[in-house]
Amino acid sequence: MEEGVRRWVVKLSEWDPLPSHFSFALSLLPSHEHSSVTRFVKLEDRKRALVSRMLQYVLVHDVLQIPFPDIVIKRTLEGKPYLDYDGLRFPNFNFNVSHHGDYVAIASEPVCLVGVDIVSYDVPQRETITGFIQLFSSYFSCLEWNNIVSAGTSDDDVLIEFYRYWSLKEAYVKAIGSGLTEGLNEVEFSHTSWTNISAKVNGKVMTQWRFWMFELGDRHCVSIARVHPISAATNYKRTLKKLDFTEDEYAQGLHLPTVDFVQLGIEQLISTLQKA
């Protein structure tokens, strides 16, 4: 079952393709995926979209050994990707992707739902850091907000603290596939130097959840959320092959060891897709 747990990340700045090379990489994806890449005007946005799609197909093929022509990836109304395939090696195999700044990441789980979110510690250009984070204050509990505004000794420390909390909240939302940020102030995160991360909802510990955070370097971090499939939002729940697990099955999935992120090169993805 541990083979279904994957954490991959790609650094975009290490790939500077010529237009012909970019077009070739895009051609390796199913034709219906092309518009999701070409709809972007800026090259950096196109790269993020392309690598996101490439990671999904390569991961599904690598973990489940499904031939590329047979891989069908769909999305819920909220935009959460899912694999449409019968007879999976892991009945509830699911994955999630994220991109921000210089990185694109993907994470997968065999039993529990997974959410992943990358943040780049971008400094706002048109407003102060205080003014920027204030726009999001309603999404945090009083404790979280106090931790943010009192972090470190500089505005940059405050900004990084804000992004880390925000990454965890996004991973939570993306795991269940709700696409909604309402009520996020009721989901309160606690941690010990960003390890042993836990969360409460209205003061009650969320025992069915696990959270992790990893620093990627270059002012980026990525958060992972893992939860029981029964927590899935309505539209996403309809895509899952299995919702009812025995306590032993679920406990095994929830307590699978986490793994570090493995950095892949885009050329590796292209090479794998070429062999399809």
Side-chain angles (χ1 to χ4, degrees), residues 152-193:
T153 58
S154 68
D155 283 350
D156 194 57
D157 291 333
V158 170
L159 183 68
I160 291 173
E161 193 83 354
F162 158 77
Y163 276 126
R164 286 171 174 166
Y165 273 110
W166 186 254
S167 177
L168 284 169
K169 301 226 173 197
E170 284 283 355
Y172 160 79
V173 168
K174 293 175 72 176
I176 59 179
S178 69
L180 300 175
T181 54
E182 295 179 10
L184 276 185
N185 61 308
E186 298 172 0
V187 181
E188 182 179 271
F189 287 93
S190 301
H191 62 89
T192 305
S193 299

Side-chain angles (χ1 to χ4, degrees), residues 45 52 125 131 147 179 208 239:
D45 292 330
S52 172
Q125 300 299 310
N147 288 341
Q208 293 189 327
T239 74

Side-chain angles (χ1 to χ4, degrees), residues 212-225:
W212 297 270
M213 182 176 292
F214 303 85
E215 289 290 333
L216 295 176
D218 303 318
R219 292 178 64 85
H220 291 72
C221 79
V222 57
S223 294
I224 294 285

Side-chain angles (χ1 to χ4, degrees), residues 33-274:
E33 295 280 18
H34 292 188
S35 62
S36 64
V37 176
T38 58
R39 68 188 179 93
F40 294 102
V41 176
K42 294 181 179 179
L43 176 60
E44 289 305 305
D45 292 330
R46 287 189 172 199
K47 283 168 63 175
R48 291 186 187 99
L50 173 62
V51 173
S52 172
R53 263 59 180 190
M54 292 170 72
L55 278 170
Q56 293 172 53
Y57 283 90
V58 172
L59 182 137
V60 168
H61 173 71
D62 187 67
V63 175
L64 302 176
Q65 301 300 304
I66 301 174
F68 283 112
D70 297 334
I71 297 174
V72 178
I73 295 173
K74 298 182 178 179
R75 286 163 183 80
T76 65
L77 290 174
E78 294 80 12
K80 186 171 176 71
Y82 65 93
L83 179 64
D84 187 11
Y85 190 86
D86 293 324
L88 291 176
R89 176 184 178 191
F90 303 114
N92 243 28
F93 180 79
N94 69 108
F95 56 88
N96 197 221
V97 290
S98 178
H99 52 75
H100 193 212
D102 197 25
Y103 289 91
V104 183
I106 190 166
S108 67
E109 289 285 335
V111 173
C112 294
L113 307 184
V114 64
V116 60
D117 191 70
I118 286 180
V119 291
S120 171
Y121 305 148
D122 293 342
V123 177
Q125 300 299 310
R126 299 182 181 179
E127 55 198 324
T128 64
I129 289 175
T130 300
F132 171 70
I133 68 170
Q134 190 66 44
L135 297 172
F136 301 88
S137 60
S138 63
Y139 296 109
F140 298 95
S141 71
C142 292
L143 175 63
E144 290 172 331
W145 188 248
N146 287 335
N147 288 341
I148 290 170
V149 298
S150 62
T153 58
S154 68
D155 283 350
D156 194 57
D157 291 333
V158 170
L159 183 68
I160 291 173
E161 193 83 354
F162 158 77
Y163 276 126
R164 286 171 174 166
Y165 273 110
W166 186 254
S167 177
L168 284 169
K169 301 226 173 197
E170 284 283 355
Y172 160 79
V173 168
K174 293 175 72 176
I176 59 179
S178 69
L180 300 175
T181 54
E182 295 179 10
L184 276 185
N185 61 308
E186 298 172 0
V187 181
E188 182 179 271
F189 287 93
S190 301
H191 62 89
T192 305
S193 299
W194 298 106
T195 62
N196 301 318
I197 301 169
S198 61
K200 297 179 181 179
V201 173
N202 295 322
K204 185 177 180 181
V205 177
M206 299 161 61
T207 58
Q208 293 189 327
W209 287 81
R210 294 292 182 272
F211 298 95
W212 297 270
M213 182 176 292
F214 303 85
E215 289 290 333
L216 295 176
D218 303 318
R219 292 178 64 85
H220 291 72
C221 79
V222 57
S223 294
I224 294 285
R226 176 192 282 171
V227 67
H228 195 297
I230 203 68
S231 298
T234 302
N235 286 330
Y236 186 46
K237 191 176 290 185
R238 295 192 185 106
T239 74
L240 299 174
K241 306 297 183 184
K242 186 174 181 179
L243 289 172
D244 298 320
F245 290 88
T246 67
E247 284 298 317
D248 287 344
E249 287 175 324
Y250 164 62
Q252 184 180 2
L254 183 65
H255 297 291
L256 284 172
T258 190
V259 296
D260 290 332
F261 274 85
V262 175
Q263 184 169 328
L264 302 180
I266 296 177
E267 295 298 338
Q268 288 177 265
L269 303 180
I270 291 174
S271 176
T272 303
L273 288 166
Q274 274 186 283

